[in-house]
Amino acid sequence: MGKIKNESIITLYSKKEKCCGCTACYAICPQKAISMVRDEEGFEYPQINGNKCICCKLCIKVCPIKQIK
Ligand code: SF4
Ligand code: SF4
């Protein structure tokens, strides 16, 4: 049996504080692998579908919070 690829190897943010929910990553993904998922407080955070992601890292490049650092 092959390994099931259900987890993305790309990490968009480690904590919620590291994501402002701007949806830039969601908008740029050529694979439409990112969906914005609403949390219990009503804020939307991106979630990567590891089965669709091709690891192009465009979402990492476009993220404004990662560019600050
Ligand atoms: S690495 Fe590329 S394919 Fe994967 S979620 Fe980011 S933009 Fe989409
Ligand atoms: S681009 Fe960065 S800050 Fe914007 S939604 Fe994606 S992970 Fe969050």
Side-chain angles (χ1 to χ4, degrees):
M1 265 219 265
K3 202 169 150 218
I4 299 164
K5 194 186 164 203
N6 55 4
E7 267 194 50
S8 174
I9 55 164
I10 298 281
T11 304
L12 269 172
Y13 59 97
S14 46
K15 298 187 227 157
K16 283 185 175 175
E17 293 77 40
K18 300 261 163 80
C19 172
C20 66
C22 71
T23 74
C25 53
Y26 165 78
I28 206 162
C29 178
Q31 290 297 108
K32 301 209 186 309
I34 302 178
S35 32
M36 299 302 291
V37 178
R38 197 164 294 203
D39 73 359
E40 61 283 352
E41 288 173 330
F43 294 105
E44 290 191 330
Y45 293 94
Q47 207 168 74
I48 297 177
N49 178 340
N51 295 313
K52 288 189 187 169
C53 177
I54 53 167
C55 286
C56 66
K57 299 199 174 127
L58 278 176
C59 53
I60 302 291
K61 284 185 197 144
V62 80
C63 180
I65 293 187
K66 283 161 202 64
Q67 279 162 23
I68 294 167
K69 233 176 137 194

